[in-house]
Amino acid sequence: MYTCITPRIKAVGVSDTDIDLFESQYEVPNGITYNSYLLQGDDLAVVFDTVDAVFADQWLDNLADALGSSRQPDMLVVLHLEPDHSGSIACLMERYPSMKLAASAKALAMLPQFFADASQWDGRLVKLGEGSSLKLGGGVELTFLSAPMVHWPEVLVAYEHSEATLFGADAFGTFGTPGHSQPWDPEAARYYFNIVGKFGQQVQALLKKASSLDIKRICSLHGPVLEGDEVARAVRFYDRWSSYQPDLSGVFIPYASVYGNTAAAAVTMAQLLEQRGVNVVMMDLARCDMSEAVSLAFRYPAMLLAAPTYDCSVFPPMATFLHHLSIKGFRNRTVGIIENGSWAPVAARTMQKMLDEMKDIKVVQPVVTIRTRLAEDNDADMQLLADALTSAVVAALPLTD
Ligand SMILES: Cc1cc2nc3c(=O)[nH]c(=O)nc-3n(C[C@H](O)[C@H](O)[C@H](O)COP(=O)(O)O)c2cc1C
Ligand SMILES: [Fe+2]
Ligand SMILES: [Fe+2]
């Protein structure tokens, strides 16, 4: 099975709805696609990327159908070497022995790490780099741009001039499969911040290069092809996300609580914020999808952390969350803190230390310390903290969507 995107471009990828966790950690209730595209000029036919090895047979059938009986692919372009896209390289190389494999120098150098027999392809390799071009005949012409660390070092993207199409590798990807209609941005944000989020600077560099191109269509390696207005909208989101600017308004409240008292304090703070007209989203870090919590932390301008002290440290679900944020390069946000402790509270100090390792995090005062349960003597500090978080939300840049 394949889908015609244009008369020249066919989508030959597969949907994975059996997967339990994408990349062994991300819940994908609507599955994930491994996209692959066939681009046919008058002279040459090029395949963009393969699929996860589990789906090799289905993908080879899709590709053969799309090619029809008369043609063979002339070239496999590997934009990205991660196994969800490179897993079926060997079987394609075997099936079409005269086909070339084109990729960046870095990808070609890494190829033997992924395929023990890669040296057998030595005579069939084509090196691509920034500005490389390829004419396929009939006016179909590709220009390649390097996109290092978006989000692996070997990544390329390709622009096809006659149909103004960007083959974006993992960029602009999202979770989900056809047949499960869902708005693009929430899942694209969860995908972006968890998979690409650390590399905002590199995404900015790619956006800058791509800004000189007239892009009418984006063919990503995951999720739907973006067309028309969706392209500019997705680029606007990526610009905001990769420059670490919030795109939603309000306070995100990730909390963790053993017996519910810290959770109750977090709910009280949510009410105080709502009374001030602030939008609030809460998540229980022990039970929520961690990748969703990471995504929302990046999307809102301000965050309230609420957690109890635990074994002279902070309750582990909060520590885990902050570790995720830290390695994803979380920065440029306002944070409030509520800690709990029955005899020697140190949760706030522990959270503060983890936040100190992140860039441009402003911890607003006062830090609220509750002793087992929220008490009357916390009232004044709770009001002051609500005021400080409200000011941060009001001061955030206006949204662009
Ligand atoms: C296993 C465990 C370890 C704890 N360690 C500390 C600690 O080191 N210092 C402290 O002040 N409180 C400690 N506490 C007490 C909690 O911080 C306290 O019970 C808090 O009120 C729990 O809030 P919660 O109702 O939101 O779970 C610990 C509690 C548990 C269950
Ligand atoms: Fe990837
Ligand atoms: Fe991918």
Side-chain angles (χ1 to χ4, degrees):
M1 226 184 70
Y2 66 90
T3 312
C4 281
I5 308 296
T6 73
R8 297 281 193 191
I9 302 170
K10 291 171 180 142
V12 296
V14 298
S15 291
D16 186 350
T17 48
D18 294 332
I19 190 168
D20 61 341
L21 295 171
F22 179 63
E23 291 190 358
S24 291
Q25 64 169 325
Y26 306 119
E27 287 177 26
V28 283
N30 295 330
I32 181 109
T33 62
Y34 310 117
N35 296 340
S36 167
Y37 301 94
L38 172 66
L39 171 66
Q40 291 172 298
D42 285 357
D43 305 325
L44 298 177
V46 166
V47 179
F48 284 98
D49 295 285
T50 79
V51 300
D52 189 288
V54 173
F55 293 89
D57 289 343
Q58 187 187 334
W59 170 67
L60 287 171
D61 286 349
N62 292 350
L63 182 59
D65 280 355
L67 280 161
S69 53
S70 57
R71 288 183 75 168
Q72 308 248 322
D74 298 286
M75 184 177 279
L76 167 66
V77 172
V78 175
L79 296 176
H80 182 25
L81 205 54
E82 199 168 359
D84 52 335
H85 309 295
S86 64
S88 303
I89 288 179
C91 60
L92 192 72
M93 294 296 275
E94 198 173 316
R95 174 162 299 196
Y96 300 107
S98 59
M99 184 191 71
K100 301 247 190 279
L101 186 164
S104 67
K106 188 83 186 167
L108 296 179
M110 285 163 69
L111 207 54
Q113 296 175 24
F114 291 82
F115 301 95
D117 298 336
S119 60
Q120 66 178 311
W121 305 328
D122 278 354
R124 299 164 64 186
L125 303 181
V126 176
K127 198 192 298 176
L128 299 171
E130 179 74 18
S132 295
S133 79
L134 190 64
K135 291 192 165 108
L136 281 65
V140 179
E141 182 176 356
L142 289 164
T143 298
F144 294 88
L145 303 175
S146 66
M149 294 321 297
V150 179
H151 58 122
W152 273 31
E154 83 300 356
V155 174
L156 295 173
V157 301
Y159 179 72
E160 200 289 303
H161 294 261
S162 70
E163 298 192 299
T165 298
L166 182 75
F167 293 91
D170 266 346
F172 301 102
T174 187
F175 303 119
T177 50
H180 296 94
S181 102
Q182 55 185 28
W184 184 81
D185 19 315
E187 282 293 82
R190 187 166 71 92
Y191 173 96
Y192 174 82
F193 286 115
N194 285 278
I195 292 171
V196 192
K198 185 178 182 62
F199 304 103
Q201 210 180 326
Q202 291 83 349
V203 173
Q204 280 284 308
L206 177 62
L207 291 176
K208 203 166 164 212
K209 280 198 269 188
S211 66
S212 63
L213 303 172
D214 169 30
I215 300 172
K216 293 205 162 59
R217 178 180 303 103
I218 299 176
C219 294
S220 167
L221 289 178
H222 300 285
V225 172
L226 302 174
E227 309 222 36
D229 293 346
E230 294 165 345
V231 172
R233 189 166 181 271
V235 169
R236 274 204 307 278
F237 274 113
Y238 259 55
D239 187 29
R240 205 140 236 251
W241 295 341
S242 59
S243 53
Y244 301 98
Q245 299 297 329
D247 71 290
L248 298 173
S249 178
V251 176
F252 175 47
I253 305 186
Y255 64 92
S257 181
V258 191
Y259 296 113
N261 293 302
T262 312
V267 168
T268 300
M269 178 54 72
Q271 289 163 347
L272 294 176
L273 290 165
E274 280 166 352
Q275 284 162 14
R276 288 159 172 77
V278 174
N279 174 42
V280 174
V281 176
M282 302 187 70
M283 261 190 199
D284 176 351
L285 293 172
R287 293 174 178 81
C288 71
D289 172 6
M290 188 58 78
S291 70
E292 182 66 21
V294 167
S295 176
L296 293 184
F298 276 96
R299 296 191 76 188
Y300 284 96
M303 176 163 78
L304 172 76
L305 304 175
T309 304
Y310 187 98
D311 291 347
C312 304
S313 180
V314 66
F315 188 38
M318 177 60 78
T320 302
F321 171 64
L322 291 175
H323 176 67
H324 276 271
L325 289 188
S326 177
I327 63 171
K328 294 299 170 190
F330 184 72
R331 69 188 67 175
N332 195 31
R333 291 290 181 277
T334 298
V335 178
I337 294 176
I338 296 176
E339 69 168 344
N340 193 351
S342 295
W343 55 91
V346 295
R349 199 196 310 160
T350 310
M351 289 187 270
Q352 175 78 59
K353 245 169 111 179
M354 296 182 81
L355 293 167
D356 285 346
E357 283 163 23
M358 305 174 200
K359 269 177 82 177
D360 301 326
I361 300 296
K362 182 179 172 205
V363 176
V364 288
Q365 299 301 319
V367 168
V368 176
T369 298
I370 63 174
R371 297 275 184 166
T372 305
R373 304 169 64 163
L374 198 60
E376 255 176 47
D377 61 6
N378 295 125
D379 283 355
D381 277 356
M382 287 288 279
Q383 298 284 351
L384 287 173
L385 182 55
D387 287 341
L389 289 167
T390 302
S391 301
V393 171
V394 171
L397 289 172
L399 305 178
T400 52
D401 187 33

